[in-house]
Amino acid sequence: MKKILLSLVALNLALPQIYASENDKVLEAVDVVESERRDDANYFAKELVKSTTRLNLTSRQTPQSLTVLTEARLKDQGIKDYQVLLRNVPGVTLNKWDERVYPTARGFAIDYYLLDSMPSFGGFSLGANDMSLLPYERVEVVKGANGLLAGAGNPAASLNFIRKRADAKELKGNFGVSAGSYDRYGVNGDVQTPVNESGSVRARLSFMHEKSHSYMDYYNRKNSAIYGVVDSDIGDNSWLSLGAFYQELRRHGVRWGGMPAFYTDGSRTNFSKNEIFSQPWTRWDIKTLDFYADFKHYFENEASLNLSYSFRRANTDSNLLYYGGKGSIGYVNLDGTGNVAGLSVYANKREENIHNVDAYANIPYEVANLSHEFVFGAMYNNYKKSSDKVSSYWLQMQRTTPAGLAYTARSRIDFKNLHLDDPKFPYEDQNNKDKTVQKAFYAANKLSITDELKFLLGARVSYYKYEIEGGKDNRNFTNEITPYLGITYDIGANHTLYASYTSIFKPQSLKDANDKYLDPIQGKDYEVGIKGEYLDGALQASLGVFKIVQDKLGIDTGKINPATNAKIYESGKGVTSKGVELDLNGEITKNLSLSFGATHFNAKDANGEKYATDSSRSTANLFAKYEFRDFRVGAGAMYKSKIYTGKGAGEITQKGYTLANLMFGYKFGKNFDVQLNIDNLFNKKYYEGIGKNMMVYGDPRTFNLSFNYKF
């Protein structure tokens, strides 16, 4: 495959010269013109999208379902954090269990994300880290497989967070304060300024601090973040960006899982929303540090060289409390008490580091008076996780110590008057430190067959290595080939038909009868659809039909390897998901903006059984804003269809529900603005996460009032 990539590179480098020689002329440079930035004020995105191939494509030219949450939409809906973002992405089920979320799309887990189109690992404390969106100006969500850039993962969806840049050549910025339900208060600011007289060097600084309580007993939260970036024009053809981001998220009185769902007689419990199995001493704190550097150079023929490096570190410190378990020990007695054997107390300290490197070249060229583009590059990702420093009543070695036995003797599970002390057991190293390395070469080509018909061809060769201290579970996968195929056909000035085949792979840790690791799981995504632009491009729409096949899943054979005493697995047929995506964003009139997305899918395993029943089959998100003079009014609705887990008497179900949101805004003169957001307007009671013997309530009605000064 490496030879194929090299041949593809050579062919595309040679084509322009060959064609020019044959026609005795020199090709003219192809201008690369980026559209004027407008997504800070509108719901439609004119900027180029780099979330799929690195090619210079607009949303309409991208042959996959794509949702862009612009800066304007994020602001209008009051979306400031990762978990709130997921709640508002069409086709995504949040699956909130506690401070962690396990989002899914099209029936599969979202297990990776991208920062400025550079892939990172979803396991990188992202589930529990409610990442601030302070450094990001917009989010591009690509549905289905995105293995050309990401490499390893599930064929669910990729979220690409696009960083803010320092692009102002004059002093400008804004400061704001906010207040809301449950003693929520915050301050924020964003300032840009030129560093030198010409404005060739520019700087930007953004910050926020927020603290709040909650509808849940004991819970309180403090969130602080700061982001800084310096952009510099180097001569006429080069650009350098250096940035850093730091977030400190502190949450105390947290829940770890939900409240127990059943009494010992099998009947359902009915705890109020504010009740959580927690204590004031519980915590889930995460500190995140980011550094990045981007360099870009344009050549005379508008070809460009792009070099990027990023580093991210996350330090987690948690101390958690949970009541669950299996059988009667995890259930609630009819008198409101529980069995101490179902108690879990778990403290953990962990550090994670990831290094990302990406180098690629964009080469536009012309053949037969048609514009084409070629991209080739290389990626390197190095993820390291420390050993876990664990203090746990859950561990038998600590439960049976004198201190553990004393703790058991004095602890009593009484849901009507819950009081449990922090056992403060000593920390021990658990789960050896490990490292995951991905290396890849990739290439993509946009071929214009005619002015209307274009082919997108790409391939990635990945090298995946997992190493754990001690070497017991080390595994290595080489020459994993990820193809990409897309076709677009323009119908008149307003519509484009598209079709695509994308893929992704996911390593697994299961072994066969020869004690060899099974090949990675393969995710294949087939999609056809139509995209349109109306009202001079102010309104964008797309409709796509998809089929995803996830294959080569490890199947338990029921046999045991006598040499290792381990279960024997074999590759088998996996899951098939079919569905449809609809997306509509932009301006209906000069005063009316609209964002609407709807998804429906059906996923079944190889036996024809429903798969991922805790993911809503049908979802829809709507938000509309109307502006008149200095006033603006926004209204939205979010629908999630039924989810459930378990069977028979143990089934837990959340029926389909709809949440309504409102927004009111008013601009005072040129510089002052006030905005009120009301989420869950009708105070709907619902589960945002369910699991075996547990459920987690979603947020009730909340108010947030913000005041902003712009200069």
Side-chain angles (χ1 to χ4, degrees), residues 25-38:
K25 66 178 183 179
V26 178
L27 294 175
E28 296 179 358
V30 178
D31 292 331
V32 178
V33 180
E34 295 193 13
S35 304
E36 180 184 358
R37 174 171 151 74
R38 301 188 65 190

Side-chain angles (χ1 to χ4, degrees), residues 577-648:
S577 175
K578 302 177 182 178
V580 59
E581 296 260 5
L582 174 65
D583 199 73
L584 182 66
N585 289 282
E587 293 180 353
I588 306 297
T589 68
K590 185 178 179 181
N591 302 98
L592 179 61
S593 298
L594 176 70
S595 178
F596 175 73
T599 301
H600 175 76
F601 77 93
N602 187 25
K604 294 182 178 180
D605 62 19
N607 298 319
E609 299 291 330
K610 287 186 176 181
Y611 178 79
T613 59
D614 58 352
S615 298
S616 292
R617 268 31 186 180
S618 300
T619 65
N621 291 74
L622 170 68
F623 192 83
K625 177 181 67 174
Y626 184 76
E627 298 177 273
F628 54 100
R629 297 182 180 178
D630 294 323
F631 292 90
R632 61 186 183 277
V633 179
M638 178 185 70
Y639 170 75
K640 304 287 185 184
S641 67
K642 171 185 172 181
I643 58 174
Y644 67 93
T645 62
K647 295 181 180 179

Side-chain angles (χ1 to χ4, degrees), residues 146-424:
N146 193 12
L148 186 67
L149 293 188
N154 282 313
S158 63
L159 285 79
N160 189 10
F161 298 87
I162 307 300
R163 292 189 180 97
K164 297 174 180 176
R165 302 295 183 184
D167 51 13
K169 294 188 176 184
E170 61 181 9
L171 179 65
K172 59 184 292 188
N174 60 81
F175 295 100
V177 295
S178 62
S181 303
Y182 307 105
D183 299 320
R184 181 175 181 174
Y185 302 100
V187 296
N188 63 85
D190 184 16
V191 179
Q192 298 189 66
T193 182
V195 177
N196 59 1
E197 187 175 350
S198 67
S200 62
V201 182
R202 304 165 300 279
R204 184 170 188 170
L205 180 68
S206 303
F207 68 90
M208 63 81 62
H209 174 72
E210 188 175 82
K211 63 178 183 179
S212 66
H213 293 282
S214 168
Y215 66 94
M216 296 179 289
D217 295 338
Y218 313 123
Y219 188 93
N220 66 86
R221 169 187 169 113
K222 293 181 180 179
N223 191 17
S224 302
I226 186 170
Y227 169 70
V229 59
V230 176
D231 289 350
S232 176
D233 301 326
I234 305 173
D236 295 330
N237 301 313
S238 300
W239 169 80
L240 176 67
S241 181
L242 302 173
F245 168 65
Y246 177 77
Q247 180 181 2
E248 186 170 317
L249 178 61
R250 297 183 177 272
R251 295 159 294 187
H252 287 196
V254 299
R255 57 189 172 189
W256 188 30
M259 296 295 284
F262 299 99
Y263 289 107
T264 51
D265 66 353
S267 62
R268 285 290 303 274
T269 60
N270 187 28
F271 294 101
S272 68
K273 290 190 293 185
N274 66 292
E275 291 181 279
I276 57 173
F277 196 89
S278 182
Q279 291 290 281
W281 49 264
T282 61
R283 67 180 182 275
W284 207 322
D285 300 337
I286 299 180
K287 299 177 182 178
T288 306
L289 177 66
D290 279 359
F291 294 106
Y292 76 89
D294 290 333
F295 173 79
K296 189 168 192 171
H297 177 75
Y298 283 99
F299 299 93
E300 291 184 0
N301 64 345
E302 296 297 341
S304 63
L305 175 66
N306 304 265
L307 304 173
S308 298
Y309 167 78
S310 69
F311 167 78
R312 169 167 280 206
R313 171 177 292 165
N315 292 94
T316 301
D317 183 4
S318 61
N319 194 15
L320 306 170
L321 182 67
Y322 176 66
Y323 181 78
K326 299 179 180 180
S328 61
I329 65 171
Y331 291 177
V332 182
N333 299 318
L334 295 178
D335 63 357
T337 62
N339 191 332
V340 72
L343 180 68
S344 295
V345 186
Y346 180 86
N348 179 39
K349 296 180 180 180
R350 172 191 292 180
E351 179 175 295
E352 299 166 274
N353 293 280
I354 185 167
H355 299 266
N356 297 307
V357 179
D358 187 20
Y360 67 97
N362 286 80
I363 305 174
Y365 62 95
E366 190 171 294
V367 176
N369 294 319
L370 294 170
S371 297
H372 314 268
E373 185 184 7
F374 179 64
V375 171
F376 67 95
M379 274 186 189
Y380 174 81
N381 310 102
N382 187 324
Y383 167 75
K384 294 181 180 179
K385 180 178 70 66
S386 71
S387 60
D388 291 310
K389 298 185 182 300
V390 174
S391 170
S392 177
Y393 176 68
W394 202 8
L395 299 175
Q396 190 70 21
M397 65 185 72
Q398 294 185 342
R399 181 177 291 185
T400 57
T401 62
L405 293 172
Y407 185 80
T408 301
R410 70 174 183 267
S411 297
R412 182 172 182 268
I413 309 301
D414 186 352
F415 287 89
K416 299 176 182 178
N417 186 24
L418 188 65
H419 179 76
L420 295 166
D421 294 325
D422 182 359
K424 297 181 180 179

Side-chain angles (χ1 to χ4, degrees), residues 509-522:
S509 58
L510 308 176
K511 291 185 176 182
D512 61 16
N514 298 316
D515 200 37
K516 302 294 184 182
Y517 285 106
L518 299 180
D519 290 336
I521 301 169
Q522 299 296 319

